[in-house]
Amino acid sequence: MRTSAGPGKTRALWLFLSMVLLPVSSEGSDIIWNYGGGSALASDNANWLGGVAPSTGDNVSFGNFTPTDPCTWDLEITLASMTITGSYASTVTLTTNLTISSGVILDAGISAKLDINGRNMWVQGDWLVGSMKTTSSVFGSSVTFYGDGETKIK
């Protein structure tokens, strides 16, 4: 004897199978600073290649476009990574706290600077610094390392 599942059971089975069988990516996007919006704000979508500001889990990079344009980091999100390399010769200034879950690379040369600006950074993963300045223009900044990772300063 054959029985038929009702529409509710069929829908539930389909939902279950689609969640189990379809691959789900938890990796964020690669977001590149291009200073296209005319403001220095990280929250301005036009300042990022592709027109979308970073969100939680993204990999952010500075260095390949508009190397002399500063960034005011005003997003309180958790990034997967932050990379400041290449020809970037300006300043990224934090105006919010920042958490980075997979690592930081700061190697853009002596003209580039990460200004923690009295905020707090939490970094899990690697902290790799080449010939670049990490400073705070305001008292009370901190960088906290947690989890596994390697710290290298050239």
Side-chain angles (χ1 to χ4, degrees):
M1 174 176 173
R2 231 175 138 175
T3 60
S4 162
K9 289 182 180 180
T10 302
R11 218 173 284 134
L13 178 61
W14 172 246
L15 179 62
F16 172 76
L17 289 175
S18 67
M19 289 174 27
V20 171
L21 297 177
L22 294 177
V24 177
S25 174
S26 63
E27 293 181 19
S29 299
D30 294 328
I31 310 293
I32 300 170
W33 177 254
N34 74 350
Y35 195 76
S39 76
L41 298 176
S43 60
D44 185 343
N45 288 330
N47 283 329
W48 300 94
L49 196 62
V52 179
S55 60
T56 295
D58 285 342
N59 303 295
V60 170
S61 65
F62 298 84
N64 295 323
F65 297 95
T66 62
T68 59
D69 293 318
C71 175
T72 302
W73 190 266
D74 63 336
L75 298 168
E76 193 154 348
I77 59 176
T78 298
L79 293 174
S81 67
M82 176 182 275
T83 303
I84 304 174
T85 59
S87 61
Y88 194 73
S90 194
T91 302
V92 176
T93 303
L94 301 184
T95 59
T96 62
N97 296 324
L98 180 60
T99 301
I100 299 175
S101 64
S102 295
V104 175
I105 298 173
L106 305 173
D107 195 14
I110 60 172
S111 297
K113 180 170 68 170
L114 173 61
D115 185 354
I116 300 172
N117 193 35
R119 306 296 183 220
N120 300 302
M121 271 184 84
W122 293 274
V123 178
Q124 181 176 11
D126 296 338
W127 175 268
L128 306 174
V129 179
S131 57
M132 189 178 144
K133 300 172 195 163
T134 304
T135 65
S136 179
S137 58
V138 178
F139 180 75
S141 298
S142 70
V143 177
T144 303
F145 302 97
Y146 65 100
D148 294 333
E150 183 176 12
T151 302
K152 285 186 179 179
I153 300 174
K154 286 188 198 177

